[in-house]
């Protein structure tokens, strides 16, 4: 009975109530539930994309829009810069609402949007804020920008309908996952209407292409392997990261603790409630030897507000900022990864992503996480140290991180060369630009 319940629950990303609300809000009941309707929509969309390509061939400037929902899921920096360097394209970032669900916290959503605006300003991107605060209304991007090509940062219906793919089916819609798929959420990763309606779905490895071919309605006919776009800076020899760690009197070992948001979810990877106080204790106990960056999944705060309340949640997050050897990290994390020494986490995508640093990493195990991992994810999981209880975490910090007894180092290096670094040496952003330029002609 539990297995049946899990399968049913797995259909809904958040809740049955939220799913039903989205069906009516986005008006996609038929293409979400009928393969015949989806087939018709996919065929029609493919034809419209071909027509769009013909029109773009005679256009002087091609407008590219990146729909950003949160800095933490931004993986398009190198791609954005590649478009800037090409005179044929005019790229913009569109700051969109994030985590819009049934009974969502509107103040927290606006707060994340403010973070996104601050982020794009810091990165010196051309941008449009989809929220007009002066007139208290949402901007129609089709009228203000009317992009020719759109890159989405997330595939879900967790934004407003006017910023979802359904509103732009006559455009060249593209997506490179904000994380590297390690779990067996095949429908979510490859077979939502979103995935099938894309013009191009760029994936990191051949293993992910195989999953798309097997599990998507369109049999992966719009899927292309380019490598991990988000991890591209970690593969570049000439990239110099910014040191984002809190200054200390001496160099300490830098550890990222990244708890997942699934405290109330089917896969329930998250061990947050088990380790939330313990990690603060470790930071104090080893304050002369380590720093800890608290890097929560961006959705975790929304979940904790519903469980703990706003005041307790804000107080907990602030405790990390107040620690002399601790800090809160809730945004772009490439530089954080590159300037760290180790990680402790229970996030599915970090299971693969942190391996690009070739540094030691520990997975906080709850139940049997590999039961919900795909083949690629299981390979990555095996390269981790595993914690089943708090004492395992402390031993990892003492023996591996501080002591340097890293027995898995050579395995991680071999895996990086075999599965992560592009065999042809061409970076993902270049492959994507080349694909678009070749298609337009």
């Amino acid at each position: 009975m539990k297995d049946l319940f899990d399968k049913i629950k797995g259909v809904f990303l958040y809740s049955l109530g939220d799913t039903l609300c989205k069906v009516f809000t986005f008006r996609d009941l038929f293409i979400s539930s009928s393969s015949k309707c989806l087939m018709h929509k996919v065929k029609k969309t493919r034809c419209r994309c071909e027509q769009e390509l013909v029109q773009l061939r005679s256009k002087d400037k091609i407008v590219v829009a990146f729909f950003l929902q949160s800095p933490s899921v931004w993986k398009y920096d190198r791609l954005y810069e590649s478009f800037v360097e090409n005179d044929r394209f005019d790229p913009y970032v569109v700051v969109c609402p994030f985590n819009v669900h049934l009974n969502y916290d509107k103040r927290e959503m606006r707060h994340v949007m403010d973070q996104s605006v601050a982020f794009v300003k810091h990165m010196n991107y051309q941008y449009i804020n989809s929220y007009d605060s002066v007139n208290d209304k949402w901007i129609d991007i089709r009228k203000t920008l009317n992009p020719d090509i759109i890159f989405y940062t997330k595939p879900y219906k967790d934004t407003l309908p006017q910023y979802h793919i359904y509103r732009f089916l006559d455009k060249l819609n593209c997506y490179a996952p904000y994380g590297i798929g390690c779990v067996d959420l095949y429908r979510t990763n490859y077979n939502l209407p979103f995935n099938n309606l894309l013009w191009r779905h760029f994936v990191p490895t051949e293993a992910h292409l195989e999953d798309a071919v097997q599990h998507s309605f369109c049999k992966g006919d719009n899927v292309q392997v380019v490598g991990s776009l988000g991890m591209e800076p970690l593969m570049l020899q000439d990239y110099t990261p910014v040191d984002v760690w809190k200054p200390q009197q001496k160099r300490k070992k830098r550890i990222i603790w990244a708890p997942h948001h699934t405290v109330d979810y089917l896969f329930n990877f998250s061990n947050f409630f088990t380790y939330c106080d313990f990690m603060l204790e470790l930071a104090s106990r080893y304050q002369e030897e380590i720093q800890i960056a608290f890097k929560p999944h961006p959705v975790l705060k929304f979940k904790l507000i519903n469980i703990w309340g706003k005041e307790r949640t804000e107080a907990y997050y602030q405790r990390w900022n107040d620690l002399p050897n601790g800090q809160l990290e809730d945004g772009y994390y490439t530089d954080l990864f590159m300037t760290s020494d180790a990680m402790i986490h229970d996030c599915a995508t970090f299971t693969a992503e942190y391996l690009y640093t070739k540094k030691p990493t520990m997975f906080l195990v709850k139940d049997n996480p590999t039961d919900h991992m795909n083949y690629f994810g299981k390979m990555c999981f095996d390269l981790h140290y595993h914690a089943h209880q708090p004492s395992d975490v402390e031993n990892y910090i003492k023996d591996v991180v501080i002591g340097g007894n890293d027995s898995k180092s050579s395995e991680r290096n071999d895996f990086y060369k075999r599965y992560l670094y592009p065999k042809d040496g061409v970076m993902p952003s270049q492959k994507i630009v080349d694909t678009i330029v070749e298609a337009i002609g």
Side-chain angles (χ1 to χ4, degrees):
M1 182 62 71
K2 183 179 182 299
D3 290 341
L4 177 60
F5 174 75
D6 284 350
K7 289 180 180 179
I8 294 172
K9 189 178 179 183
V11 174
F12 310 112
L13 287 176
Y14 288 86
S15 68
L16 174 59
D18 182 73
T19 300
L20 292 175
C21 178
K22 292 292 174 60
V23 166
F24 288 103
T25 303
F26 285 77
R27 301 176 182 177
D28 63 348
L29 173 62
F30 293 113
I31 65 169
S32 296
S33 58
S34 168
S35 58
K36 187 175 181 179
C37 290
L38 180 58
M39 179 186 297
H40 174 75
K41 183 68 75 173
V42 168
K43 286 183 177 179
K44 185 177 180 180
T45 301
R46 296 285 192 274
C47 290
R48 295 172 82 175
C49 287
E50 291 301 318
Q51 294 169 1
E52 176 71 1
L53 284 169
V54 172
Q55 294 177 8
L56 292 182
R57 285 168 192 149
S58 59
K59 192 171 183 181
D60 293 332
K61 277 287 185 179
I62 297 171
V63 179
V64 183
F66 294 86
F67 282 11
L68 172 64
Q69 290 181 255
S70 166
S72 64
V73 296
W74 176 252
K75 302 300 175 71
Y76 290 123
D77 179 50
R78 301 295 299 187
L79 183 60
Y80 179 94
E81 295 300 334
S82 295
F83 282 124
V84 170
E85 294 166 3
N86 192 314
D87 292 339
R88 199 171 183 183
F89 298 99
D90 190 16
Y92 285 82
V93 176
V94 178
V95 175
C96 300
F98 169 62
N99 210 50
V100 178
H101 295 291
L102 191 64
N103 301 319
Y104 69 101
D105 189 313
K106 293 184 179 180
R107 289 175 301 174
E108 185 61 30
M109 181 268 288
R110 295 276 173 83
H111 172 66
V112 174
M113 289 191 71
D114 290 341
Q115 287 182 319
S116 295
V117 170
F119 170 72
V120 296
K121 286 181 177 179
H122 174 73
M123 299 295 282
N124 201 29
Y125 296 150
Q126 285 191 110
Y127 80 96
I128 293 176
N129 190 342
S130 63
Y131 176 63
D132 178 356
S133 58
V134 175
N135 298 302
D136 189 26
K137 68 177 184 178
W138 297 100
I139 292 173
D140 187 339
I141 297 301
R142 289 193 69 100
K143 292 181 179 179
T144 57
L145 186 63
N146 193 26
D148 304 299
I149 303 172
I150 302 172
F151 282 85
Y152 299 86
T153 49
K154 297 184 73 180
Y156 317 122
K157 294 186 291 186
D158 60 353
T159 189
L160 295 175
Q162 55 264 47
Y163 308 115
H164 190 69
I165 192 172
Y166 296 154
R167 185 80 171 87
F168 303 94
L169 292 179
D170 57 331
K171 307 298 182 180
L172 300 184
N173 292 294
C174 304
Y175 174 63
Y178 64 88
I180 300 176
C182 288
V183 296
D184 59 358
L185 286 172
Y186 299 118
R187 179 179 181 274
T188 301
N189 290 336
Y190 307 109
N191 205 32
L192 296 173
F194 172 90
N195 306 106
N196 290 285
L197 293 169
L198 289 168
W199 175 66
R200 287 291 184 272
H201 183 177
F202 300 105
V203 297
T205 72
E206 292 291 338
H208 296 93
L209 172 60
E210 292 173 9
D211 285 342
V213 171
Q214 183 176 351
H215 296 283
S216 71
F217 175 79
C218 64
K219 304 302 180 186
D221 69 354
N222 59 349
V223 177
Q224 180 180 341
V225 178
V226 297
S228 174
L229 190 61
M231 295 297 102
E232 183 170 323
L234 282 76
M235 296 186 281
L236 297 172
Q237 298 296 323
D238 60 349
Y239 182 82
T240 303
V242 176
D243 189 349
V244 297
W245 292 78
K246 188 179 291 186
Q248 304 289 297
Q249 290 185 344
K250 66 174 184 178
R251 179 63 161 84
K252 302 175 182 179
K253 293 295 184 179
R254 298 166 164 184
I255 304 169
I256 303 168
W257 174 42
H260 202 233
H261 71 85
T262 48
V263 292
D264 59 350
Y265 189 61
L266 164 62
F267 294 133
N268 207 7
F269 279 169
S270 182
N271 294 266
F272 176 77
F273 294 124
T274 300
Y275 290 96
C276 60
D277 293 328
F278 180 72
M279 294 303 293
L280 285 167
E281 293 171 12
L282 286 179
S284 298
R285 193 180 309 160
Y286 294 91
Q287 62 180 317
E288 296 302 317
E289 297 166 284
I290 66 171
Q291 292 177 257
I292 298 181
F294 174 48
K295 175 70 183 75
H297 189 288
V299 177
L300 178 62
K301 191 173 184 181
F302 289 86
K303 300 283 187 72
L304 291 178
I305 288 173
N306 289 332
I307 298 170
W308 277 356
K310 182 80 170 178
E311 184 176 350
R312 182 180 175 186
T313 300
E314 293 288 358
Y316 181 83
Y317 276 53
Q318 188 59 42
R319 284 182 70 184
W320 280 102
N321 257 342
D322 292 342
L323 283 175
N325 63 327
Q327 61 197 72
L328 169 65
E329 294 289 336
D330 56 2
Y332 189 62
Y333 55 84
T334 297
D335 293 337
L336 180 71
F337 271 28
M338 295 185 73
T339 54
S340 68
D341 294 304
M343 174 176 271
I344 299 167
H345 75 100
D346 48 23
C347 289
T349 189
F350 285 176
T351 307
E353 284 189 344
Y354 198 71
L355 295 179
Y356 282 83
T357 69
K358 301 187 283 291
K359 299 171 184 177
T361 178
M362 167 171 268
F363 197 99
L364 303 176
V365 177
K366 184 175 185 179
D367 300 324
N368 298 302
T370 54
D371 287 350
H372 298 297
M373 288 184 176
N374 57 26
Y375 174 72
F376 185 80
K378 290 174 182 177
M379 288 196 296
C380 295
F381 180 81
D382 288 341
L383 297 171
H384 282 61
Y385 297 92
H386 302 143
H388 299 271
Q389 55 195 359
S391 61
D392 294 335
V393 176
E394 187 166 7
N395 290 334
Y396 165 73
I397 291 175
K398 290 189 300 182
D399 298 339
V400 179
V401 182
I402 298 175
N405 300 311
D406 184 6
S407 60
K408 292 182 176 290
S409 177
S410 61
E411 293 179 68
R412 292 195 306 271
N413 288 331
D414 291 342
F415 184 83
Y416 173 82
K417 295 174 184 176
R418 184 175 181 183
Y419 293 102
L420 302 182
Y421 190 83
K423 291 180 173 57
D424 58 6
V426 181
M427 289 296 111
S429 60
Q430 187 60 54
K431 289 178 180 175
I432 292 175
V433 172
D434 290 346
T435 294
I436 292 172
V437 170
E438 182 180 350
I440 295 173

